[in-house]
Every structure is written in C-alpha cells, then in structure tokens.
Amino acid sequence: MEHAKSTDHGSFLWRFSKKFNFAADKLIPESFVFALILTAIVFVLAFFLTDSGPMKIVNAWYGGLWSMISFAFQMTIMVVLTSMAAKSPQLEKILSSIASTPKSAASAYVILIIFATVASWINWAFGTILSPVLAMYLSKNIKKVHFPLMIAAGYACMIMVQPICPSISAVALLASPDHFMVDQVGVMPVSETAFNPLGLIMVAILFVVTLMVTIKTTPPEDEVVSFDGEINLQVEGKDEANETFADKMNNSRLVLGVFSLIGIVYFIYHFMTGNGLTLNFIIFIFLIADLILYKTPKKFVDAVKHNMVLAANVMIQFPFYGGIMGVMAKTGLTGVLANGLIFLASEHTIYWFSYVSASIVNLFVPSQGGQWIVQGPILVEAAQAFDAHMPSIVTAFMMGDEATNLIQPLYIIPALALVDIELKKVWGFMAFIWFIWFITSTIGLILFPMIL
C-alpha cells in the first residue's frame, strides 16, 4: 500500500472515522475468526435465553452448517469467475477508460457510488463484485482516494438500495400468492413494498448522506491508502507447438468459441422468455464472458487455478454462518430476541423497533428470507396491535436487516477476496457508515411514518 506525506490531520469526518478504524485495528480479527466469535456468542445466548440444552444447540449448529453449502459454492465460483473477468486485458481497458474520467477524489467517489448503486439495484451480486473492481481502477488513476473507504462505500451502496429492489427476498416472498402469511397480511405487491414511499424516501436520503459523508471523509495525504497491486494478473497459457491432438484441443479457440456461442444463444432466450436476474444466471454471465475473454481451454483453466486462492475464505466461512443460522432458528433464539425488542415498542416507535430488531437478528441470521420466516409473524402481530401500516413495517424490517450487513462481514468477504484486502482495513469505515445511517434512520423512521 502506498502512503503519501502531509502535515494536516484530515477533515473532521476523517478524524471521527479513525475512532472506528482504531477499534477495527485492535479488535477485529480475520473474517474467519469473526465468524467463530459470532458462533460462540450464539451458543451462549441460546443456552441462557432459551430452554435448549448443550446437545440441542450443537445438533442445531451441525444441521445448519450444511444449509449454506449451495450458497457457499455459488459465491466461491462467482469470486473466481468475476476475478478472472476483472483481470482480463479487455475489461481492464474498459474500466480504465471509465476510471480515467474523474480528475479529483470527489468525482471519483461520485462515479463509484452512482455505479455501485445502479449495479446493486439491478442485482446485489453485481454491485458487490463490480464496485470493488471499479474501485481498483479509480485508485490507480486518482492517488488521493482512500482505497479502503472506497470499498466500504461501494459495499454500503449495495446494502442501501436493497429495500427498494423488486427481487429482494422479503418483497418477492410477500408478493407470492401462496406465501406462508397470506392469511394474515394477504398478497403484498411490489408496488406496496419495494416501492413503498417510506422506503423510497429513506433510500434517497441515505444515498445523499452516504455520498456526502464519503466525499467529506478526507484523509491527510500521508494517510491515503492506494491500491498498489497488479490488476492484470491472469495466467496466459502458452500456445505451444501443436505436436499432438491433445495440444491442439488445449489451445483451440474453436472449442471455447462453440460453447461461448451456445451461452450467448441461451442469454438471449433467457430474457426473451421473460426471465430475470438470479444469482445462478449472474454466475452464468461471468462464465460465458470468461470463455470469450480467455479464448482457449488452456488459458481458461490456468486462470481458474490462478484465481481459486481468492475464494478460500468464502468457501470455508459461509458454512459457519449456516451453523449460526441453524442455532438461531432451531433453538427459538430469533423469536426471543425479536419479541424482547418489540415488547418495548409503542404506536410511534413500532417502525424503528422493527428496524432495530431486524438489525440485531441479522447479525446472526444474515439471510433475509430465512429471517422473515422467523421474525415476520412477530412483526405482523405487533403491527396489527398498533394498527401500523404493514408495508412500512416491511420496509423498516428490510432496512434494519440490511444495515447490520455493515457490521457482520458475510457478504463483503467475496469483495475483500477479489481485491486482496484484510477485513480490518475496511471494517472501521463500514462501522462508521453504519453509525451515520443509524442516526439518519432513527430520525426518519420515527418522523416520516407520522406524516406520510
């Protein structure tokens, strides 16, 4: 990492953010250890707050451990394929062109935040993976931007925009005609949940706040951290003399060309038949893109091997978060925590308590669909007791569920792997943004429901 020299102490927001970074440097371990600590906390809470004995907790953990295997594989292969694409000469040229547009740190942050927000609204995985890639190129071009802050800000944009995404888990679930709570709340169309006025207003405010905070968090020159790695690191397979049939196949452009064409045909068919973006389809897009970018089987396989190391943390950590979710669900701990918070709510604070309860539960159950299945009935019962606006309760739940993704690092792990940066270098800025958001959201969720 590069360090310039300066005599100033940075802006007020920079000095304030350093308090969070100090805590990160001293308290935040490797992301894998972070997952183990959360697991231990859940074990203790389940033992003391529920009637579950030690073996029931262990069995719940073991059962949950394998519930994330499919998702872990999806994220593992996505990290590898997106890293391959990011390091290809062709994409380097395109992103370098975009990154050459800004001439100042402020304009670089603006481009990153707008790009990350739009990409994340299309799909969370796009924003999570593509924004750190763009950040690498921007950091190479503008030496005054702080690279860890850019990673945190781009990731925050992904989280920020999810409550107004039509494809988000809770929205899609409630819009289904046969969802498990249809008798209590009926079918709630996307127009009432994802495009709820409260959510649109809050996301717009958080966008402006995030943009201004990022721009105004100005470090002194001697504390600027730039991305100093090599971006174009793909392994080029050698086009050796084709002495054997095997060599010809390994270095044949025709082989990948045929499958690239098949992929393109399916891509067109997928959208022509009215299908949307799913995580599997996004992975498929990057797979076909890499077949095109790397041209021959040998170059493609060599690039896979070279980038596989980046997925190690994802592959091993996601199952442990599955174990945490298993303990939360099977022991009833999720309901205990949510009920305890909702019990304190009033007519005017029910939306904020929905936000807070979802935030706390999300620390241990980082899956919105699974969290809504457990927590949704509790929120609906409380909302009906206070005659609250149900779509706004859902909005507050989604905002809270997303907010603490800035605290627990599950979904940023792939991005960190992609740019090869430690969690503790970024977590302080994530916590700093979360703190600003918490204050903003508290004001908004108490004030706006009374006037909308």
Side-chain angles (χ1 to χ4, degrees):
M1 296 291 182
E2 299 175 3
H3 296 271
K5 291 184 177 180
S6 178
T7 56
D8 67 76
H9 299 290
S11 66
F12 166 76
L13 285 175
W14 172 259
R15 296 192 300 273
F16 184 56
S17 73
K18 288 185 68 175
K19 298 181 185 298
F20 294 88
N21 281 314
F22 175 81
D25 287 338
K26 301 296 182 182
L27 301 176
I28 300 302
E30 290 288 339
S31 54
F32 176 62
V33 179
F34 195 100
L36 295 180
I37 292 172
L38 284 178
T39 303
I41 292 173
V42 168
F43 270 57
V44 172
L45 291 176
F47 182 78
F48 285 104
L49 298 182
T50 73
D51 59 0
S52 303
M55 282 312 302
K56 181 178 180 179
I57 296 172
V58 171
N59 282 329
W61 174 77
Y62 177 81
L65 199 65
W66 311 116
S67 66
M68 294 280 279
I69 289 298
S70 177
F71 189 39
F73 177 76
Q74 288 174 313
M75 297 303 290
T76 296
I77 194 170
M78 186 170 73
V79 167
V80 174
L81 294 176
T82 52
S83 178
M84 289 167 60
K87 295 172 182 177
S88 67
Q90 299 93 327
L91 194 63
E92 180 180 16
K93 186 175 181 180
I94 295 172
L95 291 179
S96 293
S97 177
I98 297 174
S100 66
T101 303
K103 302 303 179 184
S104 66
S107 57
Y109 289 134
V110 170
I111 287 177
L112 175 74
I113 288 175
I114 292 175
F115 176 87
T117 301
V118 173
S120 300
W121 187 82
I122 296 172
N123 185 272
W124 69 269
F126 268 135
T128 301
I129 295 298
L130 294 183
S131 61
V133 175
L134 179 59
M136 288 192 294
Y137 290 94
L138 288 169
S139 182
K140 286 285 189 179
N141 183 50
I142 307 293
K143 296 301 181 182
K144 291 185 178 181
V145 298
H146 193 70
F147 186 62
L149 176 60
M150 294 189 85
I151 298 299
Y155 176 63
C157 291
M158 183 278 288
I159 293 169
M160 170 192 70
V161 79
Q162 291 309 299
I164 62 171
C165 288
S167 60
I168 195 171
S169 299
V171 168
L173 180 65
L174 289 167
S176 302
D178 56 351
H179 70 84
F180 76 102
M181 294 192 68
V182 69
D183 292 336
Q184 288 78 27
V185 299
V187 175
M188 299 178 67
V190 171
S191 58
E192 292 183 6
T193 51
F195 301 135
N196 177 32
L198 176 64
L200 294 173
I201 291 172
M202 289 303 304
V203 169
I205 292 173
L206 289 175
F207 175 84
V208 174
V209 168
T210 304
L211 180 62
M212 296 307 299
V213 166
T214 305
I215 292 174
K216 296 299 183 181
T217 304
T218 309
E221 290 186 12
D222 63 335
E223 294 185 38
V224 171
V225 176
S226 301
F227 176 77
D228 61 356
E230 291 294 329
I231 298 175
N232 184 16
L233 297 175
Q234 79 282 0
V235 176
E236 294 284 355
K238 296 181 179 179
D239 294 322
E240 299 171 348
N242 297 327
E243 298 176 351
T244 66
F245 177 76
D247 291 330
K248 291 180 180 179
M249 295 295 289
N250 291 339
N251 295 306
S252 172
R253 296 193 176 198
L254 179 62
V255 174
L256 292 195
V258 169
F259 283 95
S260 299
L261 181 60
I262 293 172
I264 292 171
V265 170
Y266 181 78
F267 178 88
I268 297 171
Y269 169 80
H270 181 86
F271 285 109
M272 287 185 65
T273 52
N275 295 300
L277 288 173
T278 63
L279 182 56
N280 282 340
F281 191 71
I282 291 171
I283 295 170
F284 174 77
I285 291 173
F286 280 105
L287 173 62
I288 299 305
D290 286 333
L291 293 180
I292 296 171
L293 293 170
Y294 285 89
K295 300 182 177 64
T296 72
K298 181 172 178 55
K299 291 178 180 179
F300 178 84
V301 172
D302 286 347
V304 170
K305 293 177 181 177
H306 186 71
N307 288 280
M308 186 63 74
V309 65
L310 298 177
N313 282 336
V314 176
M315 183 172 60
I316 196 62
Q317 289 181 47
F318 274 55
F320 280 87
Y321 280 98
I324 292 171
M325 291 167 59
V327 174
M328 293 288 292
K330 296 297 183 181
T331 65
L333 182 58
T334 301
V336 171
L337 294 177
N339 264 321
L341 285 166
I342 296 301
F343 177 77
L344 302 173
S346 68
E347 178 183 357
H348 298 298
T349 61
I350 181 62
Y351 305 98
W352 181 75
F353 272 103
S354 297
Y355 171 89
V356 173
S357 64
S359 293
I360 293 176
V361 173
N362 179 66
L363 288 171
F364 307 103
V365 187
S367 168
Q368 187 178 102
Q371 185 175 338
W372 177 257
I373 289 173
V374 178
Q375 193 176 352
I378 300 168
L379 293 177
V380 168
E381 183 179 348
Q384 291 173 342
F386 291 114
D387 195 25
H389 185 237
M390 192 61 66
S392 295
I393 291 290
V394 176
T395 293
F397 163 81
M398 292 189 294
M399 288 180 59
D401 168 76
E402 293 293 337
T404 42
N405 284 325
L406 285 166
I407 304 297
Q408 65 88 5
L410 177 66
Y411 290 104
I412 199 175
I413 292 171
L416 299 178
L418 188 61
V419 298
D420 193 24
I421 189 171
E422 295 177 295
L423 173 63
K424 67 179 182 179
K425 300 293 185 182
V426 178
W427 189 88
F429 293 110
M430 292 163 54
F432 167 61
I433 294 172
W434 170 84
F435 180 78
I436 301 295
W437 279 11
F438 181 77
I439 296 173
T440 305
S441 299
T442 295
I443 296 171
L445 290 174
I446 291 177
L447 176 63
F448 289 128
M450 292 190 293
I451 62 178
L452 289 176

